[in-house]
Amino acid sequence: MTQTLSHINASGEAHMVDVSEKDITVRIARAQAFVEMSSDTLELILSGKHHKGDVFATARIAGIMAAKKTPELIPLCHPLMLTKVEVDIEAEPDNNRVRITSLCKLSGKTGVEMEALTAASVAALTIYDMCKAVQKDMVISAVTLLEKQGGKSGHFVHNPE
């Protein structure tokens, strides 16, 4: 079976996919990102002594806002009526990193993968932005779609093997 790119028409031009004939289903997507940093930077965040305030709370809000703005950031994405956006941030001190997970949900005709990926990415970028004054060599990595449910393609779960 040959797969085709959905955002390219028969003439090879980019276009927005017509979803008007698709069924409305509950759609859920989960994504993740990591921000790797020094133990000193992570301790500064966790101790609450960062001069810019609560880094995780700010990143969480940024991720939620970004999910809602995805069609303004990513060309050809449909504007969606999101019913849930959740961004969780967990410190992993043993690995000198922070793990960000996002969940986006709606009842609609198109998936929410890009919104979940955008939420995780922008939350990671916000952590970087707030901490770059103390460490410029942080690394954002493993921006990954973890799971997607709903729609005709069914249920997908990322399997790293």
Side-chain angles (χ1 to χ4, degrees):
M1 179 171 124
T2 302
Q3 293 283 331
T4 59
L5 297 173
S6 61
H7 289 81
I8 305 296
N9 67 17
S11 302
E13 302 163 332
H15 75 107
M16 189 173 195
V17 175
D18 182 359
V19 297
S20 57
E21 300 302 318
K22 286 179 143 188
D23 291 332
I24 294 174
T25 62
V26 174
R27 293 160 185 267
I28 298 169
R30 291 185 318 107
Q32 75 175 4
F34 289 95
V35 183
E36 300 164 26
M37 62 190 66
S38 72
S39 58
D40 290 343
T41 302
L42 186 54
E43 178 54 34
L44 182 66
I45 294 169
L46 296 176
S47 70
K49 296 179 181 171
H50 195 290
H51 72 280
K52 289 190 176 183
D54 188 335
V55 173
F56 288 179
T58 304
R60 190 175 299 108
I61 292 167
I64 292 167
M65 290 175 63
K68 297 178 351 179
K69 297 282 191 182
T70 299
E72 295 174 34
L73 300 168
I74 309 291
L76 310 177
C77 281
H78 292 86
L80 302 179
M81 185 59 75
L82 295 169
T83 57
K84 180 179 180 93
V85 178
E86 188 174 281
V87 175
D88 292 313
I89 303 172
E90 179 183 353
E92 295 184 352
D94 292 344
N95 297 314
N96 289 330
R97 69 183 186 184
V98 172
R99 180 176 190 233
I100 301 155
T101 56
S102 63
L103 178 139
C104 293
K105 182 178 179 180
L106 60 67
S107 292
K109 296 183 175 205
T110 189
V112 290
E113 298 93 329
M114 293 311 301
E115 287 71 13
L117 287 161
T118 300
S121 298
V122 170
L125 289 167
T126 300
I127 291 170
Y128 184 95
D129 179 53
M130 292 186 74
C131 297
K132 68 183 185 266
V134 294
Q135 183 183 353
K136 293 185 179 15
D137 63 349
M138 291 174 286
V139 175
I140 295 171
S141 65
V143 177
T144 308
L145 178 67
L146 297 174
E147 181 180 15
K148 158 226 167 316
Q149 297 178 41
K152 109 178 146 176
S153 65
H155 191 181
F156 163 82
V157 177
H158 176 71
N159 183 357
E161 280 92 52

